Amino acid sequence: MFTPQGPSLRELAVQALSSVEHGYDLLAPKFDHTPFRTPDAVLGPVTDLLRRLGPFDAGLDVCCGTGAGAGVLQEVCREQVTGVDISTGMLDVARDRAPGPVPTHWVRGDALALPFGPVFDLAVSFGAFGHFLPAQRPALFAQVHSVLRPGGRFAFPLPAPARPGSYVHLAMLGFDAVMRVRNALWRPRFVMYYRGFTLADVTAELSVAGFEVTTYALDELGRRDDGTPRCRMVVATRR
């Protein structure tokens, strides 16, 4: 699937019938050859924006996967970079990446119970929010808030919602429907939903968690016909 180096349809089916943790353990060796990895076309503009907002000392990649986001932190942090993920398999792949100029640590942990104190100046996350139900997001944001120093920032890209009736919108509806049926009929659950993460909701939830929220247009990723950006960067600053 996706590329000759990517997972087969059978492998994806086995992974989808596993838990989130075990599914990503299985997918890890081929994850970077799937569309699930955040593309460089997004990572580049994010890095450029964070350079303008930084520099930062210590950075945390929440749900770091195989380390693509940690590569961004390597470019904008001066002292240390930490990646945290629940999947041992994904962390194993991340550890095999070529080392960057800043010391990097890989930690197995649950984003809903981060094993750190308030020691980071910057936290990022890429493409992981679909693994958290809406009811879990306030706890997630509270955890990120707790590991940032006062004035620390939590940053992540947020694509514009697909237009209703478009191919992308229908594909997301179909995927979410399949996952809901799967989770109703099969255990353990695999939480991965692409809809329901709106800028308005996220801004309100981040504010309740103790952040001040600013958004930036990532103009390198283009604008829609109505002039709105295709992707924004959400930057939430701990009060």
Side-chain angles (χ1 to χ4, degrees):
M1 293 287 288
F2 311 125
T3 71
Q5 297 80 30
S8 67
L9 182 59
R10 180 183 181 280
E11 287 173 324
L12 283 175
V14 171
Q15 293 151 13
L17 293 175
S18 305
S19 65
V20 174
E21 178 183 349
H22 186 53
Y24 275 104
D25 286 346
L26 295 172
L27 180 60
K30 299 182 178 181
F31 179 81
D32 286 348
H33 300 287
T34 74
F36 305 129
R37 178 192 183 275
T38 303
D40 293 340
V42 174
L43 297 174
V46 168
T47 303
D48 292 341
L49 176 59
L50 291 176
R51 281 200 187 100
R52 298 197 296 271
L53 297 177
F56 305 92
D57 290 330
L60 175 67
D61 186 4
V62 181
C63 304
C64 65
T66 57
V72 172
L73 295 177
Q74 284 282 340
E75 299 290 330
V76 301
C77 295
R78 299 180 291 195
E79 294 183 0
Q80 66 169 321
V81 170
T82 300
V84 62
D85 201 278
I86 200 170
S87 167
T88 300
M90 299 289 271
L91 291 170
D92 287 343
V93 174
R95 289 189 184 95
D96 288 339
R97 299 175 73 91
V102 180
T104 303
H105 312 282
W106 305 105
V107 178
R108 185 186 178 280
D110 185 347
L112 295 174
L114 290 171
F116 312 108
V119 297
F120 298 101
D121 307 290
L122 173 65
V124 298
S125 193
F126 295 89
F129 297 115
H131 295 302
F132 300 93
L133 297 171
Q136 295 175 306
R137 287 203 307 258
L140 172 65
F141 294 155
Q143 282 293 299
V144 176
H145 184 277
S146 74
V147 302
L148 290 171
R149 298 179 177 125
R153 287 167 165 158
F154 178 33
F156 53 89
L158 182 62
R163 294 188 183 283
S166 67
Y167 172 79
V168 173
H169 180 255
L170 295 175
M172 294 170 68
L173 280 176
F175 183 90
D176 284 6
V178 169
M179 292 303 295
R180 292 185 187 283
V181 172
R182 178 254 185 246
N183 287 331
L185 300 176
W186 192 269
R187 292 291 184 275
R189 292 192 305 172
F190 194 105
V191 176
M192 187 175 180
Y193 299 115
Y194 282 110
R195 298 178 64 252
F197 194 74
T198 68
L199 178 60
D201 290 343
V202 169
T203 298
E205 291 162 358
L206 287 167
S207 180
V208 170
F211 290 100
E212 294 179 0
V213 181
T214 305
T215 62
Y216 300 83
L218 295 177
D219 284 325
E220 298 92 330
L221 299 177
R223 289 182 173 265
R224 308 205 301 190
D225 292 340
D226 61 2
T228 58
R230 295 186 183 277
C231 188
R232 300 178 189 271
M233 186 77 164
V234 177
V235 179
T237 303
R238 175 173 173 169
R239 301 191 188 104

